[in-house]
Amino acid sequence: MARTPELFDPDTSGNRRRTFPGSWPARVLGFLVALLGIVLLVGGIVLAARGGSWYYLLAGIALVLSGCLLVAGRSAGAWLYGVIVAGTALWTLWESGTDYWAWVPRLGLLIVLGFFVALLLPRLDRPSRRGTAATWAIACVVVVAYALIAPFYIFGPTRYGETPVASAAPAAAASGATGNDWPAYGGAHQGLRYSSLAQIDGHNVGSLQRAWVYRTGDLPKKGWGAETTPVKVGDSVYLCSARNILISLDASTGKERWRFDPNVDDKAIPYTAACRGVAYYTVQGASGECATRVLEGTLDARLVVVDAATGRPCEGFGEHGQVDVKKGMGEVRPGYVSITSVPTIVRGVVVVGHQVLDNQRRDAASGVILGFDAVTGAPRWAWDVMQPDVTAPPPPGKIYTRGTPNSWTTSVGDEALGLVYVPMGNSAGDYLSASRRPAELAVSSSLVALDATTGKPRWRFQTVHHDVWDYDLGSQPSLIDFPSAGGNVPAILLSSKQGEVYVLDRRTGKPLTGVEERPAPQGGDEPAMRTATQPHSTYHTLRKADLRERDMWGISPIDQMICRIEFRGASYLGEFTPPTSKANYIEYPGYNGGSDWGSLAVDPVHGIVVANYNDMPNFDRLVPRAEADREGYKARGDGPPAPESTIAKDPQLGLPDAIHVNAGWRLHGTGMMCKEPPYGGVQAFDLKTGKTLWDRPLGTARANGPFGIHSMLDIEIGTPNNGGPVVTAGGLAFVAAATDNMIRAIDLSTGKTVWNDVLPAGGQATPMVYSEGGREYLVIVAAGHHFMETPEGDYVIAYALPGTTRTASR
């Protein structure tokens, strides 16, 4: 007869000793718990020595003890583990309140291990209480886990200071609204991104379906990210592809009518193969070929003009329909000068800025702003900040001043005032300013109003003094009628990468809302160059509070602890922390927002502004020249191309230091960001008062996760985003931009998502809205983005309501 194993076996002395069947699982689990404890203990010592939290050191000691007891088969190890979980929950509540995302790294791994500890509890030294102990332990784990997760699904994403939109003050006029067309990059030429169409509204938006899909066939092998917003005039949609192929589509069907390929070489791609859009221009009093024309800037810095009806080059413009913008710049390496944004046309002058490849060389090509005749392409003027009195192209042997601030984004023009408003960037070499000349310092990171017919500056407004944070102005400003006690004032709405929003009189540049100079941190590697104060808007800001150690994040206590150690070891004095080579320093917000090239959208009827934004730090360090040389920092063209990465190692040749930029502050290994979510959001605020109406995360976790693994979780985590919103008279805001590859409609009155669709590639572009044949269309270019790590594509997708035939505009 087989003998049943006993729990008590005789030992050599004749006594019976207790044995436990689960001893080897207990040893394995105990080893893992102790190992976790050792890691937290070692890291906790470092963190505490840097003035950080003592939790990790204390938790590490307790976990090591718990693990040792589990290895010995003692139930005390399990109960101690339970005390650790309970204590961690209390510490988390004290440190971060009820913020859901703050609980994930602190308790997630502990709860998972706690589940197995609970299963082992009855197999340790209390076999008689096996059932009761296991039941209670497992029940506690389930209840705690549910308590952590359920509220998020029940109550939805986190919001900040939400108030009803009914408080918004209606504006007196709807200047800048589009009707059936979308004639400019920003909708109308005022750059509001607002449509007066109301066929699609909150009641029927859930029925939106794809009306047509077009593919450009242009898929760059590197640097994909077309960022395109089409325009629509008449019954045609016009757009440019990633490498500047001009295309005309039937607005009703998406069928291609013509295309023109300017044959841009891949060597001309700077960081991103981007063509944000085209300009449409009608020659007054002209008829026949090129009476209406489509203009674009190319990645190899040409201004190209074609006939809007046929796509054939306008032979009378420049040389066979194009002008080389690089003329007069001297030596320009491929990819160093590119036009990625839309030319602005004011009073018959095409105003063109361009991108200069960042942080390669102090003597990079000039950032000169140029004006060309919109009919002939003849040079009309040049604005070189170091040669303000020289407005003609330089004579033989002379060039525009090298290394001056450039304007890479989209300007906006006022036809009535004859002004073009140019958002400026920095001199070459973003992170050091000692070599910049006074004229460069005066206009960098400024909005400059130029006379469109002469190129002469009328006024300027600076958003950052002595900018060494790459806080160049990236958003297209919006021309608005700003309500005041004395009536509407012609104004310009300007947003910055720091998240500040300013309202300026567009005739004079004087602020119409509060701007104050606040003390700024001092020190860094150029202490003499740091200004005592920096400007801040008292009207509205998208910027969040300064970072704290408790804001660090990760997928486990380990990487959260590592991020805390990095935080404590870095130089961080709040906003405008000076760059340094002594240690890593934290730049928050990072150079990708606040508000970037996606820009704001303005409902001028109800006086509501919608803005999506990024909320991520950069983790940077100036690298002394000798160290950079040893580590092989090379300028583009001086060696093999650097691999695609959010971590940049730029040489800044001609300056004392190179720069190492960890954009988004990603942790090596997991690829997760060190700051807790949200990483991006969307909000609405009152145009008249600047008061926030609602504010919410933008983007789900479905296409995000550690080690590049898509979690597929439909949780509104708030992701990085690039591209802007549009708003309509139907009470909706449409926005893609986020890294979850979705386009969504948001109810303008509540901030809630009322419709969405998954795109076949990343939607890092601003949508547009138009009507054709009585049917309202929403169009988005889904081309993906290499920097945002979204899938590449070449899709132009139009959405409409099924079977709509009624008139769509008001």
Side-chain angles (χ1 to χ4, degrees):
M1 174 182 248
R3 188 167 75 90
T4 302
E6 297 182 3
L7 291 178
F8 294 92
D9 293 325
D11 62 16
T12 54
S13 64
N15 298 320
R16 293 196 301 173
R17 60 181 175 86
R18 180 177 283 177
T19 63
F20 306 106
S23 59
W24 72 264
R27 289 176 184 142
V28 171
L29 185 59
F31 173 77
L32 293 176
V33 169
L35 182 61
L36 174 62
I38 291 171
V39 173
L40 296 187
L41 173 60
V42 173
I45 293 172
V46 176
L47 181 59
R50 291 184 175 183
S53 172
W54 282 68
Y55 162 79
Y56 296 90
L57 190 158
L58 299 176
I61 294 171
L63 285 168
V64 170
L65 180 57
S66 172
C68 291
L69 290 170
L70 288 172
V71 169
R74 301 289 302 277
S75 62
W79 296 116
L80 176 58
Y81 190 91
V83 171
I84 295 169
V85 173
T88 300
L90 291 174
W91 168 72
T92 301
L93 185 65
W94 168 79
E95 191 176 57
S96 300
T98 57
D99 180 8
Y100 170 79
W101 293 113
W103 289 68
V104 172
R106 292 166 169 85
L107 280 168
L109 179 59
L110 289 179
I111 287 175
V112 171
L113 288 175
F115 178 81
F116 294 102
V117 171
L119 290 178
L120 277 177
L121 182 58
R123 300 171 67 86
L124 297 173
D125 57 5
R126 292 190 176 184
S128 62
R129 301 181 61 184
R130 177 179 308 174
T132 301
T135 300
W136 279 103
I138 294 172
C140 287
V141 170
V142 171
V143 168
V144 171
Y146 182 82
L148 290 174
I149 297 172
F152 185 85
Y153 288 98
I154 294 172
F155 300 111
T158 304
R159 285 181 168 78
Y160 316 92
E162 186 173 310
T163 51
V165 163
S167 65
S175 175
T178 64
N180 291 332
D181 288 348
W182 190 271
Y185 170 74
H189 293 284
Q190 290 88 339
L192 300 188
R193 278 157 283 278
Y194 173 74
S195 172
S196 59
L197 301 178
Q199 187 179 90
I200 301 170
D201 58 27
H203 300 291
N204 58 27
V205 68
S207 300
L208 273 186
Q209 60 186 28
R210 294 185 185 182
W212 52 261
V213 177
Y214 172 81
R215 301 195 67 173
T216 68
D218 187 3
L219 280 165
K221 294 180 180 178
K222 68 168 187 175
W224 66 90
E227 303 176 355
T228 308
T229 300
V231 301
K232 186 263 187 184
V233 180
D235 63 355
S236 295
V237 170
Y238 303 97
L239 68 142
C240 52
S241 71
R243 286 174 288 196
N244 303 116
I245 300 172
L246 288 168
I247 299 168
S248 173
L249 305 176
D250 183 291
S252 296
T253 66
K255 183 178 179 180
E256 183 181 301
R257 287 182 166 158
W258 56 254
R259 67 165 44 204
F260 173 77
D261 188 349
N263 296 310
V264 172
D265 193 287
D266 279 5
K267 293 179 180 178
I269 298 174
Y271 295 119
T272 303
C275 182
R276 296 190 183 94
V278 301
Y280 184 93
Y281 182 66
T282 300
V283 180
Q284 295 299 317
S287 61
E289 190 170 23
C290 287
T292 57
R293 48 186 64 187
V294 177
L295 302 86
E296 71 164 350
T298 66
L299 295 174
D300 54 6
R302 288 175 285 160
L303 182 59
V304 175
V305 182
V306 301
D307 178 67
T310 65
R312 291 193 290 266
C314 294
E315 292 291 332
F317 184 92
E319 297 180 8
H320 306 293
Q322 57 184 272
V323 169
D324 185 356
V325 175
K326 299 187 299 297
K327 285 186 176 180
M329 292 187 186
E331 179 190 8
V332 177
R333 297 186 177 198
Y336 272 70
V337 174
S338 303
I339 305 173
T340 55
S341 294
V342 185
T344 302
I345 307 173
V346 184
R347 293 192 176 181
V349 178
V350 185
V351 180
V352 182
H354 55 271
Q355 171 182 325
V356 176
L357 202 61
D358 282 343
N359 304 316
Q360 303 300 301
R361 303 171 181 276
R362 178 64 181 95
D363 66 344
S366 177
V368 60
I369 309 299
L370 300 168
F372 299 93
D373 189 285
V375 177
T376 67
R380 291 281 292 271
W381 51 259
W383 179 53
D384 178 345
V385 300
M386 294 304 300
Q387 303 179 76
D389 296 325
V390 179
T391 60
K398 300 291 184 179
I399 62 173
Y400 297 116
T401 310
R402 299 186 71 86
T404 54
N406 67 317
S407 178
W408 57 266
T409 194
T410 306
S411 299
V412 66
D414 187 320
E415 191 73 21
L417 293 176
L419 297 178
V420 58
Y421 305 94
V422 182
M424 297 298 294
N426 281 325
S427 306
D430 283 308
Y431 297 92
L432 291 168
S433 61
S435 69
R436 298 176 192 167
R437 294 152 288 200
E440 294 177 284
L441 291 170
V443 301
S444 68
S445 300
S446 298
L447 183 67
V448 179
L450 300 178
D451 186 305
T453 57
T454 67
K456 294 290 186 180
R458 290 276 192 89
W459 58 258
R460 62 178 175 83
F461 176 81
Q462 190 164 61
T463 61
V464 185
H465 306 319
H466 293 199
D467 183 3
V468 286
W469 301 274
D470 199 7
Y471 280 159
D472 46 2
L473 289 171
S475 293
Q476 181 190 31
S478 301
L479 305 186
I480 61 173
D481 297 318
F482 188 67
S484 70
N488 284 348
V489 178
I492 189 163
L493 190 69
L494 175 68
S495 57
S496 74
K497 286 185 175 182
Q498 308 95 278
E500 305 292 334
V501 181
Y502 302 94
V503 183
L504 311 174
D505 187 320
R506 64 178 184 260
R507 299 165 297 187
T508 64
K510 300 297 184 184
L512 296 173
T513 56
V515 178
E516 64 182 26
E517 293 282 340
R518 297 176 187 168
Q522 301 297 293
D525 280 20
E526 297 178 324
M529 293 299 296
R530 301 288 66 81
T531 59
T533 62
Q534 290 287 355
H536 292 78
S537 171
T538 61
Y539 164 72
H540 188 78
T541 184
L542 304 170
R543 186 174 60 88
K544 306 304 180 185
D546 288 346
L547 291 176
R548 304 161 299 177
E549 181 195 322
R550 63 185 62 181
D551 297 322
M552 299 302 101
W553 207 66
I555 59 172
S556 73
I558 296 174
D559 47 335
Q560 185 187 44
M561 177 184 67
I562 294 172
C563 288
R564 284 176 178 254
I565 292 172
E566 289 190 351
F567 177 85
R568 286 293 180 179
S571 172
Y572 182 57
L573 304 173
E575 189 182 14
F576 298 113
T577 294
T580 178
S581 60
K582 306 296 188 297
N584 288 97
Y585 67 94
I586 297 170
E587 177 189 327
Y588 179 65
Y591 63 60
N592 200 35
S595 181
D596 206 348
W597 56 263
S599 312
L600 311 179
V602 182
D603 177 347
V605 176
H606 297 95
I608 299 172
V609 183
V610 176
N612 56 297
Y613 58 89
N614 283 304
D615 185 20
M616 302 174 293
N618 285 359
F619 197 64
D620 303 344
R621 186 172 77 89
L622 291 174
V623 182
R625 179 61 52 207
E627 180 183 342
D629 291 343
R630 287 195 305 270
E631 294 188 6
Y633 281 53
K634 299 287 187 182
R636 178 163 169 166
D638 289 350
E644 290 290 341
S645 175
T646 56
I647 296 178
K649 296 182 176 182
D650 291 330
Q652 298 196 127
L653 297 180
L655 296 174
D657 299 311
I659 183 68
H660 181 282
V661 177
N662 183 344
W665 190 1
R666 294 173 182 262
L667 189 64
H668 295 286
T670 66
M672 300 292 285
M673 296 183 189
C674 270
K675 174 194 168 291
E676 73 179 30
Y679 304 120
V682 58
Q683 67 166 241
F685 62 89
D686 186 303
L687 177 62
K688 182 177 182 179
T689 65
K691 181 181 179 181
T692 299
L693 303 172
W694 49 258
D695 190 352
R696 49 157 287 187
L698 175 65
T700 67
R702 61 180 304 276
N704 299 272
F707 310 107
I709 300 171
H710 292 185
S711 71
M712 300 311 295
L713 295 174
D714 192 23
I715 300 174
E716 200 85 36
I717 190 172
T719 73
N721 56 88
N722 259 341
V726 301
V727 291
T728 73
L732 298 171
F734 293 100
V735 63
T739 58
D740 59 3
N741 310 322
M742 298 177 73
I743 184 170
R744 46 183 50 83
I746 297 173
D747 188 307
L748 201 55
S749 64
T750 65
K752 294 181 179 179
T753 298
V754 291
W755 168 85
N756 61 59
D757 187 43
V758 178
L759 300 170
Q764 280 66 56
T766 302
M768 49 91 79
V769 176
Y770 66 85
S771 178
E772 182 61 30
R775 196 179 192 193
E776 182 179 337
Y777 294 85
L778 164 71
V779 175
I780 182 71
V781 173
H785 207 285
H786 68 109
F787 183 78
M788 307 296 286
E789 299 178 355
T790 58
E792 69 271 26
D794 62 343
Y795 300 88
V796 185
I797 303 174
Y799 297 90
L801 297 175
T804 305
T805 57
R806 64 187 175 90
T807 302
S809 63
R810 288 181 177 174

